[in-house]
Amino acid sequence: MRFEHSAQLRAAYPDLVAGVVHATGITATADVARRTAGHLAVARRRRRATRC
């Protein structure tokens, strides 16, 4: 697999690098609701703020 940031993103953040995480033991049954709730709330607020 090849991954590249867009030219615009690289221009704005020239020190940005792509990273990879390899993890084992993660299953589809993991309960992530509590851990992701805060991030999801921020994303929803940002989305509402940018709607025209």
Side-chain angles (χ1 to χ4, degrees):
M1 172 180 258
R2 183 179 169 93
F3 176 83
E4 292 182 60
H5 292 102
S6 70
Q8 296 88 350
L9 189 63
R10 293 210 48 87
Y13 303 96
D15 294 332
L16 186 66
V17 296
V20 175
V21 174
H22 176 84
T24 59
I26 299 172
T27 66
T29 60
D31 183 6
V32 298
R34 279 188 348 161
R35 289 193 164 262
T36 59
H39 300 292
L40 186 55
V42 169
R44 287 179 173 152
R45 281 195 302 273
R46 288 178 180 172
R47 184 174 176 211
R48 282 193 301 268
T50 59
R51 288 187 181 171
C52 298

